[in-house]
Amino acid sequence: APLPVARIDFKSGEGSYLESLKNQYEKGAYNNIISKIYSLPSNSAVLHDFLSFLAKKMIELNQSKYLLQLFIENKLTHGTDEMIKVMGLLQEHPQWKGKASEDYKKEIALNILKDYENRIAETDELIDRIVYHLYGLKEEDINIIIKGC
């Protein structure tokens, strides 16, 4: 039997609603996002566009996480694109100090790494919630799935 996936209604996509979801994601307002997700019909283009946005974010987060791990393990070469990206991530951190020692840089990298691990887990949960909504799963169905993992 075919899977119960609704056809996407591309006419219902509202750019401002999608931008609102993206902004709330960037602010870390995950609980607000989940309630907004469930207020949308499962065939909403906004829902599908937001799912695509989350997938891209997940890739970016995992790539940055990997680079931070390499930096912490001293496996990056100075002057490479990867090291330049890591230094950019470190410099964006609120505790960054201009000429920091290698140990201090690694401490900041560990803090950022922990933050990325949390964001990855939260993004994964949002993706799961959207997929559950797309398939019309109820809370009891979701609980069965979660317990089976």
Side-chain angles (χ1 to χ4, degrees):
L3 296 173
V5 179
R7 292 192 183 279
I8 301 171
D9 180 6
F10 288 104
K11 297 174 191 162
S12 70
E14 297 179 27
S16 61
Y17 199 83
L18 177 61
E19 288 308 311
S20 170
L21 288 172
K22 288 179 180 180
N23 288 335
Q24 287 187 32
Y25 172 82
E26 297 298 344
K27 293 177 184 174
Y30 302 110
N31 289 331
N32 290 345
I33 294 171
I34 290 173
S35 65
K36 287 190 174 208
I37 286 169
Y38 283 105
S39 72
L40 293 167
S42 63
N43 67 340
S44 167
V46 171
L47 198 57
H48 290 267
D49 290 346
F50 188 59
L51 184 60
S52 174
F53 166 80
L54 291 175
K56 289 176 187 172
K57 284 295 180 180
M58 185 68 93
I59 291 168
E60 291 171 12
L61 288 167
N62 276 299
Q63 287 173 339
S64 295
K65 176 185 164 189
Y66 177 70
L67 289 177
L68 287 165
Q69 289 170 326
L70 291 176
F71 174 76
I72 292 166
E73 297 168 2
N74 292 320
K75 293 182 179 176
L76 290 181
T77 305
H78 289 282
T80 61
D81 290 343
E82 292 84 5
M83 181 61 91
I84 291 168
K85 172 137 175 137
V86 168
M87 293 308 296
L89 294 172
L90 296 177
Q91 291 171 3
E92 291 172 4
H93 194 273
Q95 294 178 339
W96 173 255
K97 296 176 185 167
K99 296 209 178 224
S101 69
E102 287 302 309
D103 287 340
Y104 190 70
K105 289 176 186 176
K106 286 183 183 179
E107 183 181 323
I108 291 173
L110 279 169
N111 290 335
I112 296 170
L113 185 64
K114 289 176 188 170
D115 179 51
Y116 279 21
E117 287 170 345
N118 290 335
R119 290 178 63 194
I120 288 167
E122 290 163 339
T123 303
D124 191 44
E125 173 68 18
L126 287 173
I127 291 170
D128 287 348
R129 289 291 173 170
I130 291 172
V131 171
Y132 299 152
H133 184 52
L134 289 174
Y135 283 97
L137 299 178
K138 305 295 180 223
E139 210 53 45
E140 65 185 44
D141 301 321
I142 295 168
N143 289 333
I144 292 168
I145 293 169
I146 292 171
K147 287 178 185 172
C149 290

CSV table of all heavy atoms in Angstrom, one decimal, residues 22-56:
chain,number,residue,atom,x,y,z
A,22,LYS,N,12.4,30.4,10.3
A,22,LYS,CA,13.8,30.4,10.2
A,22,LYS,C,14.4,31.3,11.3
A,22,LYS,O,15.4,30.9,11.9
A,22,LYS,CB,14.3,30.9,8.8
A,22,LYS,CG,14.1,29.9,7.7
A,22,LYS,CD,14.5,30.6,6.4
A,22,LYS,CE,14.3,29.7,5.2
A,22,LYS,NZ,14.7,30.3,3.9
A,23,ASN,N,13.8,32.5,11.5
A,23,ASN,CA,14.3,33.4,12.5
A,23,ASN,C,14.2,32.7,13.9
A,23,ASN,O,15.1,32.9,14.7
A,23,ASN,CB,13.5,34.7,12.5
A,23,ASN,CG,13.9,35.5,11.3
A,23,ASN,OD1,15.0,35.4,10.7
A,23,ASN,ND2,13.0,36.4,10.9
A,24,GLN,N,13.1,32.1,14.2
A,24,GLN,CA,12.9,31.4,15.5
A,24,GLN,C,13.9,30.3,15.7
A,24,GLN,O,14.4,30.1,16.8
A,24,GLN,CB,11.5,30.9,15.6
A,24,GLN,CG,10.5,32.0,15.9
A,24,GLN,CD,9.1,31.5,16.2
A,24,GLN,OE1,9.0,30.5,16.8
A,24,GLN,NE2,8.1,32.3,15.8
A,25,TYR,N,14.2,29.6,14.6
A,25,TYR,CA,15.3,28.6,14.6
A,25,TYR,C,16.6,29.2,15.0
A,25,TYR,O,17.3,28.7,15.9
A,25,TYR,CB,15.4,27.8,13.3
A,25,TYR,CG,16.6,26.9,13.2
A,25,TYR,CD1,16.4,25.6,13.8
A,25,TYR,CD2,17.8,27.3,12.7
A,25,TYR,CE1,17.5,24.7,13.8
A,25,TYR,CE2,18.9,26.4,12.7
A,25,TYR,CZ,18.7,25.1,13.2
A,25,TYR,OH,19.8,24.3,13.3
A,26,GLU,N,17.0,30.3,14.4
A,26,GLU,CA,18.3,30.9,14.6
A,26,GLU,C,18.3,31.4,16.1
A,26,GLU,O,19.4,31.5,16.7
A,26,GLU,CB,18.5,32.1,13.6
A,26,GLU,CG,18.6,31.6,12.2
A,26,GLU,CD,19.8,30.7,11.9
A,26,GLU,OE1,20.7,30.6,12.7
A,26,GLU,OE2,19.8,30.1,10.8
A,27,LYS,N,17.2,31.8,16.6
A,27,LYS,CA,17.2,32.3,18.0
A,27,LYS,C,17.1,31.1,19.0
A,27,LYS,O,17.2,31.3,20.2
A,27,LYS,CB,16.0,33.2,18.2
A,27,LYS,CG,16.1,34.5,17.5
A,27,LYS,CD,14.8,35.3,17.7
A,27,LYS,CE,14.8,36.6,16.9
A,27,LYS,NZ,13.6,37.3,16.9
A,28,GLY,N,16.9,29.9,18.5
A,28,GLY,CA,16.8,28.7,19.4
A,28,GLY,C,15.4,28.5,20.1
A,28,GLY,O,15.3,27.8,21.1
A,29,ALA,N,14.4,29.1,19.5
A,29,ALA,CA,13.0,29.0,20.0
A,29,ALA,C,12.4,27.7,19.5
A,29,ALA,O,11.3,27.8,18.8
A,29,ALA,CB,12.2,30.2,19.7
A,30,TYR,N,12.9,26.6,19.8
A,30,TYR,CA,12.5,25.3,19.2
A,30,TYR,C,11.1,24.9,19.6
A,30,TYR,O,10.3,24.4,18.8
A,30,TYR,CB,13.5,24.2,19.6
A,30,TYR,CG,14.9,24.5,19.1
A,30,TYR,CD1,15.9,24.8,20.0
A,30,TYR,CD2,15.1,24.5,17.8
A,30,TYR,CE1,17.1,25.1,19.6
A,30,TYR,CE2,16.4,24.9,17.3
A,30,TYR,CZ,17.4,25.1,18.2
A,30,TYR,OH,18.7,25.5,17.8
A,31,ASN,N,10.6,25.2,20.9
A,31,ASN,CA,9.3,24.8,21.3
A,31,ASN,C,8.2,25.6,20.5
A,31,ASN,O,7.2,25.1,20.1
A,31,ASN,CB,9.1,25.0,22.8
A,31,ASN,CG,9.9,24.0,23.6
A,31,ASN,OD1,10.1,22.9,23.1
A,31,ASN,ND2,10.3,24.4,24.8
A,32,ASN,N,8.5,26.9,20.3
A,32,ASN,CA,7.6,27.7,19.4
A,32,ASN,C,7.5,27.2,18.0
A,32,ASN,O,6.4,27.2,17.5
A,32,ASN,CB,8.1,29.2,19.4
A,32,ASN,CG,8.0,29.9,20.7
A,32,ASN,OD1,7.3,29.5,21.6
A,32,ASN,ND2,8.7,31.0,20.8
A,33,ILE,N,8.6,26.7,17.5
A,33,ILE,CA,8.6,26.2,16.1
A,33,ILE,C,7.7,24.9,16.1
A,33,ILE,O,6.9,24.8,15.1
A,33,ILE,CB,10.0,25.9,15.7
A,33,ILE,CG1,10.8,27.2,15.6
A,33,ILE,CG2,10.0,25.1,14.4
A,33,ILE,CD1,12.3,26.9,15.3
A,34,ILE,N,7.9,24.0,17.0
A,34,ILE,CA,7.1,22.8,17.0
A,34,ILE,C,5.6,23.1,17.0
A,34,ILE,O,4.8,22.5,16.2
A,34,ILE,CB,7.5,21.9,18.2
A,34,ILE,CG1,8.9,21.3,17.9
A,34,ILE,CG2,6.5,20.7,18.3
A,34,ILE,CD1,9.5,20.5,19.1
A,35,SER,N,5.1,24.0,17.8
A,35,SER,CA,3.7,24.4,17.8
A,35,SER,C,3.3,25.0,16.5
A,35,SER,O,2.2,24.7,16.0
A,35,SER,CB,3.4,25.3,19.0
A,35,SER,OG,4.0,26.5,18.9
A,36,LYS,N,4.2,25.8,15.9
A,36,LYS,CA,3.8,26.4,14.6
A,36,LYS,C,3.8,25.3,13.5
A,36,LYS,O,3.0,25.4,12.6
A,36,LYS,CB,4.8,27.5,14.2
A,36,LYS,CG,4.6,28.7,15.0
A,36,LYS,CD,5.4,29.9,14.5
A,36,LYS,CE,5.0,31.1,15.3
A,36,LYS,NZ,5.2,32.3,14.5
A,37,ILE,N,4.7,24.4,13.6
A,37,ILE,CA,4.7,23.3,12.6
A,37,ILE,C,3.4,22.5,12.6
A,37,ILE,O,2.8,22.3,11.5
A,37,ILE,CB,5.9,22.3,12.9
A,37,ILE,CG1,7.2,22.9,12.5
A,37,ILE,CG2,5.7,20.9,12.2
A,37,ILE,CD1,8.4,22.1,13.0
A,38,TYR,N,2.9,22.2,13.8
A,38,TYR,CA,1.6,21.5,13.9
A,38,TYR,C,0.4,22.3,13.5
A,38,TYR,O,-0.7,21.8,13.3
A,38,TYR,CB,1.5,20.8,15.3
A,38,TYR,CG,2.3,19.6,15.4
A,38,TYR,CD1,3.5,19.6,16.1
A,38,TYR,CD2,1.9,18.4,14.7
A,38,TYR,CE1,4.3,18.5,16.2
A,38,TYR,CE2,2.7,17.3,14.8
A,38,TYR,CZ,3.9,17.3,15.6
A,38,TYR,OH,4.7,16.2,15.7
A,39,SER,N,0.6,23.6,13.4
A,39,SER,CA,-0.6,24.5,13.0
A,39,SER,C,-0.7,24.5,11.5
A,39,SER,O,-1.7,25.0,11.0
A,39,SER,CB,-0.4,25.9,13.6
A,39,SER,OG,0.6,26.6,12.9
A,40,LEU,N,0.3,24.1,10.8
A,40,LEU,CA,0.3,24.1,9.3
A,40,LEU,C,-0.3,22.8,8.8
A,40,LEU,O,-0.1,21.7,9.4
A,40,LEU,CB,1.7,24.2,8.8
A,40,LEU,CG,2.5,25.5,9.0
A,40,LEU,CD1,4.0,25.3,8.7
A,40,LEU,CD2,1.9,26.6,8.1
A,41,PRO,N,-1.0,22.8,7.7
A,41,PRO,CA,-1.5,21.6,7.1
A,41,PRO,C,-0.2,20.8,6.6
A,41,PRO,O,0.8,21.4,6.2
A,41,PRO,CB,-2.3,22.0,5.9
A,41,PRO,CG,-2.0,23.5,5.7
A,41,PRO,CD,-1.4,24.0,6.9
A,42,SER,N,-0.4,19.5,6.6
A,42,SER,CA,0.8,18.6,6.2
A,42,SER,C,1.2,18.8,4.8
A,42,SER,O,2.3,18.4,4.4
A,42,SER,CB,0.5,17.2,6.6
A,42,SER,OG,-0.6,16.7,5.8
A,43,ASN,N,0.4,19.4,3.9
A,43,ASN,CA,0.7,19.6,2.5
A,43,ASN,C,1.2,21.0,2.3
A,43,ASN,O,1.3,21.4,1.1
A,43,ASN,CB,-0.4,19.2,1.6
A,43,ASN,CG,-1.6,20.1,1.8
A,43,ASN,OD1,-1.7,20.8,2.8
A,43,ASN,ND2,-2.5,20.1,0.8
A,44,SER,N,1.5,21.7,3.3
A,44,SER,CA,2.0,23.1,3.2
A,44,SER,C,3.4,23.2,2.6
A,44,SER,O,4.3,22.5,3.0
A,44,SER,CB,2.0,23.8,4.5
A,44,SER,OG,2.7,25.0,4.5
A,45,ALA,N,3.6,24.1,1.6
A,45,ALA,CA,4.9,24.3,1.0
A,45,ALA,C,5.8,24.9,2.0
A,45,ALA,O,7.0,24.6,2.0
A,45,ALA,CB,4.8,25.2,-0.2
A,46,VAL,N,5.3,25.6,2.9
A,46,VAL,CA,6.1,26.2,4.0
A,46,VAL,C,6.8,25.1,4.8
A,46,VAL,O,8.0,25.2,5.1
A,46,VAL,CB,5.3,27.2,4.9
A,46,VAL,CG1,6.1,27.6,6.1
A,46,VAL,CG2,4.8,28.4,4.2
A,47,LEU,N,6.1,24.1,5.1
A,47,LEU,CA,6.6,23.0,5.9
A,47,LEU,C,7.7,22.3,5.2
A,47,LEU,O,8.7,22.0,5.7
A,47,LEU,CB,5.4,22.0,6.2
A,47,LEU,CG,5.6,21.0,7.3
A,47,LEU,CD1,5.9,21.7,8.6
A,47,LEU,CD2,4.3,20.2,7.4
A,48,HIS,N,7.5,22.1,3.9
A,48,HIS,CA,8.5,21.4,3.1
A,48,HIS,C,9.8,22.3,2.9
A,48,HIS,O,10.9,21.8,2.9
A,48,HIS,CB,7.9,21.0,1.7
A,48,HIS,CG,6.9,19.9,1.9
A,48,HIS,ND1,7.3,18.5,1.7
A,48,HIS,CD2,5.6,19.9,2.2
A,48,HIS,CE1,6.2,17.8,1.9
A,48,HIS,NE2,5.2,18.6,2.2
A,49,ASP,N,9.5,23.6,2.7
A,49,ASP,CA,10.7,24.5,2.6
A,49,ASP,C,11.5,24.6,3.9
A,49,ASP,O,12.7,24.7,3.8
A,49,ASP,CB,10.2,25.9,2.2
A,49,ASP,CG,9.7,25.9,0.7
A,49,ASP,OD1,9.9,25.0,0.0
A,49,ASP,OD2,9.0,26.9,0.4
A,50,PHE,N,10.8,24.6,5.0
A,50,PHE,CA,11.4,24.6,6.3
A,50,PHE,C,12.2,23.3,6.5
A,50,PHE,O,13.3,23.4,7.1
A,50,PHE,CB,10.5,24.9,7.4
A,50,PHE,CG,11.1,25.2,8.7
A,50,PHE,CD1,12.0,26.2,8.9
A,50,PHE,CD2,10.8,24.4,9.8
A,50,PHE,CE1,12.6,26.4,10.1
A,50,PHE,CE2,11.4,24.6,11.1
A,50,PHE,CZ,12.3,25.6,11.2
A,51,LEU,N,11.7,22.2,6.1
A,51,LEU,CA,12.4,21.0,6.2
A,51,LEU,C,13.7,21.0,5.4
A,51,LEU,O,14.8,20.6,5.9
A,51,LEU,CB,11.5,19.8,5.8
A,51,LEU,CG,12.1,18.4,5.9
A,51,LEU,CD1,12.4,18.1,7.4
A,51,LEU,CD2,11.0,17.4,5.4
A,52,SER,N,13.6,21.6,4.2
A,52,SER,CA,14.8,21.7,3.4
A,52,SER,C,15.9,22.6,4.1
A,52,SER,O,17.1,22.4,4.1
A,52,SER,CB,14.4,22.3,2.0
A,52,SER,OG,15.6,22.6,1.3
A,53,PHE,N,15.4,23.7,4.7
A,53,PHE,CA,16.2,24.6,5.4
A,53,PHE,C,16.9,23.9,6.6
A,53,PHE,O,18.1,24.1,6.8
A,53,PHE,CB,15.4,25.8,5.9
A,53,PHE,CG,16.1,26.7,7.0
A,53,PHE,CD1,17.0,27.6,6.6
A,53,PHE,CD2,15.8,26.5,8.3
A,53,PHE,CE1,17.6,28.4,7.6
A,53,PHE,CE2,16.4,27.3,9.3
A,53,PHE,CZ,17.3,28.3,8.9
A,54,LEU,N,16.2,23.1,7.3
A,54,LEU,CA,16.8,22.4,8.4
A,54,LEU,C,17.8,21.4,8.0
A,54,LEU,O,18.8,21.2,8.6
A,54,LEU,CB,15.7,21.7,9.2
A,54,LEU,CG,14.7,22.6,10.0
A,54,LEU,CD1,13.6,21.8,10.7
A,54,LEU,CD2,15.5,23.4,11.1
A,55,ALA,N,17.5,20.7,6.9
A,55,ALA,CA,18.5,19.7,6.3
A,55,ALA,C,19.8,20.4,6.0
A,55,ALA,O,20.9,19.9,6.3
A,55,ALA,CB,17.9,19.0,5.1
A,56,LYS,N,19.7,21.6,5.4
A,56,LYS,CA,21.0,22.4,5.1
A,56,LYS,C,21.7,22.8,6.4
A,56,LYS,O,22.9,22.7,6.4
A,56,LYS,CB,20.6,23.6,4.2
A,56,LYS,CG,20.2,23.3,2.8
A,56,LYS,CD,19.7,24.5,2.1
A,56,LYS,CE,19.2,24.1,0.7
A,56,LYS,NZ,18.6,25.3,0.0
